[in-house]
Amino acid sequence: IAIRRSNPAERREFGEPNSRVLQPALGQETLFVGADRLWAIDANLLSLGSDLVWTSPDVVNVATPPVYVWPGVVKLAELYVADSNGTVHALDANNGVRFWTNSPGFGVTALAVNDTSVILAGNNGVLRALSRRDGAVQWTQAVGGLVMGGPFVTNTRVLAVTQGGGIFLLDAASGSILDAAQNVQAQVPGGPAVSGLQVIVPTSSNSVFAFRGAP
């Protein structure tokens, strides 16, 4: 639903035909919606004529929220998404044309992107880095549990929190574990959040934990 800020009574809606919508990604003037298909629609939903910019013929049953990146390393703007078969797709965000795929052999639950890599979280308790240029595997690291909410990434670090309460800090270039000393003594039912130097972790014990990293 798009609501014009200057006139809240003016609103438009885009309805995915199968009523299954993941968290969308916003890129420039386009909204990317992962559902039974992958849709690119006018971000304002207020354009004249059709709201549809493109829909991908190659990506169906989207399993992860799409990740938009501008500028791209291969295309002007890029979109990354994984499907229910575990295949990761890299697409030109402007027209939906796919320029590489990678099938890691396990289900993918979340994606994150830095300047050189696509970091994926697997349903088998691993993190894997793929090259944004061609989808080649850069490294794979086991973290021993399902990564909740997906990894947080910069160009130098990857931070992940597992369902069992493990907190992992990895080197983004090599995948080596830099720190796994901290953990939460409870199940983690949802994704953590990062604020400044703190990672904030919800737990099933009706408590929220905050851990502070070194500057």
Side-chain angles (χ1 to χ4, degrees):
I1 300 173
I3 301 173
R4 190 177 292 280
R5 293 171 62 186
S6 60
N7 180 15
E10 186 178 355
R11 55 184 283 164
R12 292 279 298 279
E13 297 183 10
F14 174 82
E16 205 287 328
N18 292 294
S19 301
R20 174 187 169 272
V21 176
L22 299 174
Q23 179 178 329
L26 181 63
Q28 306 298 325
E29 294 298 315
T30 306
L31 189 67
F32 302 96
V33 181
D36 287 1
R37 300 186 68 180
L38 181 63
W39 306 85
I41 58 177
D42 172 46
N44 299 307
L45 300 182
L46 296 169
S47 61
L48 296 176
S50 174
D51 297 320
L52 182 65
V53 178
W54 55 258
T55 184
S56 171
D58 303 309
V59 184
V60 296
N61 296 323
V62 177
T64 63
V67 179
Y68 172 88
V69 187
W70 177 90
V73 296
V74 177
K75 305 297 182 180
L76 180 63
E78 296 166 1
L79 193 72
Y80 300 91
V81 69
D83 64 29
S84 59
N85 291 323
T87 300
V88 180
H89 304 259
L91 303 98
D92 184 330
N94 290 315
N95 56 28
V97 174
R98 190 173 58 182
F99 58 93
W100 60 253
T101 64
N102 179 288
S103 297
F106 50 79
V108 179
T109 60
L111 301 174
V113 177
N114 64 17
D115 284 351
T116 60
S117 306
V118 182
I119 312 296
L120 60 92
N123 63 359
N124 59 346
V126 304
L127 292 169
R128 176 170 291 180
L130 307 176
S131 166
R132 284 182 58 189
R133 186 162 297 279
D134 58 10
V137 176
Q138 297 173 322
W139 53 259
T140 302
Q141 181 62 257
V143 291
L146 182 66
V147 175
M148 302 305 292
F152 296 96
V153 303
T154 69
N155 287 331
T156 59
R157 297 289 184 266
V158 177
L159 176 67
V161 178
T162 67
Q163 189 175 43
I167 302 174
F168 293 84
L169 184 67
L170 293 79
D171 180 88
S174 67
S176 60
I177 295 176
L178 302 176
D179 191 344
Q182 301 295 328
N183 63 84
V184 179
Q185 298 299 316
Q187 290 287 302
V188 178
V194 171
S195 176
L197 295 178
Q198 294 188 103
V199 55
I200 302 166
V201 184
T203 72
S204 58
S205 63
N206 297 322
S207 298
V208 175
F209 292 80
F211 296 85
R212 181 181 293 273

